[in-house]
Amino acid sequence: PVIPVLVVEDAGHADPLAGLLMTPRGPLLLSVRPIRYSDQGGPSAGTLLMGRFLSTSVLDDLSRLAQLPLSVITLESLQEENPPLAKQLDIEHPTALESLPNGGLRGNILISDLFGRPGLILRADLPHDLSDNARQLLRWSIDATGLSGVLILVVLLVVIGWAVVQPLGRMARHVAALH
């Protein structure tokens, strides 16, 4: 099959380019870099072009690395599935969260293609037990912070009483004894 070619004008002086390219065979992760000396000086010796299709196996590898279920869908699919969520996502606001029926969360991020157009939506599902653990950790952190604040307040009151109030009381008694 024929794959559309991305033409980089004046490739000898092109800036690095990386991103998503939608092809008839599926989404292609693409990186285009000029070949230069280590110090980036001198003329370009050509252009290095690397690409990998975003296949199921690549997505499975990413899911394993992230330790979260990942998936990709098109914006059109999301518009059919969940129109309000699809309206939230655009180039200016590329992320949105939604609650899952089982109590978990799903993060959606709109990935633009190389031309700045909406390409794909990457989804990460946060299972219910992970979101419960996060809530428990947040509650524990808030409780610990509150307890620390109360403890610091008590210590300050004791120190102020010892360092300020007691000496002032002694001084007031001495002044009263002088009269």
Side-chain angles (χ1 to χ4, degrees):
V2 176
I3 297 175
V5 176
L6 176 68
V7 177
V8 180
E9 291 190 26
D10 194 13
H13 301 287
D15 290 328
L17 181 66
L20 182 69
L21 182 63
M22 302 303 287
T23 72
R25 285 190 55 195
L28 177 68
L29 302 173
L30 185 67
S31 178
V32 180
R33 307 271 181 216
I35 301 171
R36 299 204 174 154
Y37 292 109
S38 299
D39 65 358
Q40 299 300 314
S44 172
T47 302
L48 175 65
L49 186 132
M50 295 183 295
R52 183 167 189 184
F53 284 103
L54 186 58
S55 63
T56 307
S57 65
V58 171
L59 207 52
D60 289 343
D61 290 343
L62 288 173
S63 293
R64 243 185 324 280
L65 286 171
Q67 297 180 359
L68 288 173
L70 298 175
S71 59
V72 291
I73 63 168
T74 62
L75 188 57
E76 293 79 23
S77 297
L78 183 63
Q79 286 169 339
E80 292 172 9
E81 176 187 310
N82 189 342
L85 182 65
K87 287 181 183 177
Q88 287 181 5
L89 292 171
D90 60 22
I91 302 300
E92 298 291 320
H93 303 93
T95 59
L97 285 175
E98 62 180 314
S99 296
L100 296 174
N102 66 358
L105 293 174
R106 174 177 286 157
N108 298 280
I109 183 165
L110 178 65
I111 301 172
S112 302
D113 68 6
L114 286 171
F115 306 105
R117 299 180 304 230
L120 292 175
I121 296 168
L122 178 66
R123 293 179 146 181
D125 291 345
L126 182 65
H128 179 64
D129 59 335
L130 286 179
S131 58
D132 281 349
N133 289 341
R135 283 188 198 103
Q136 289 173 351
L137 181 62
L138 182 61
R139 279 190 210 116
W140 182 85
S141 298
I142 290 171
D143 292 346
T145 302
L147 185 60
S148 299
V150 169
L151 183 62
I152 289 171
L153 182 63
V154 168
V155 168
L156 282 174
L157 287 174
V158 169
V159 168
I160 288 173
W162 174 73
V164 176
V165 175
Q166 284 181 358
L168 284 175
R170 282 193 299 264
M171 188 170 64
R173 283 191 298 275
H174 285 291
V175 169
L178 291 176
H179 284 315

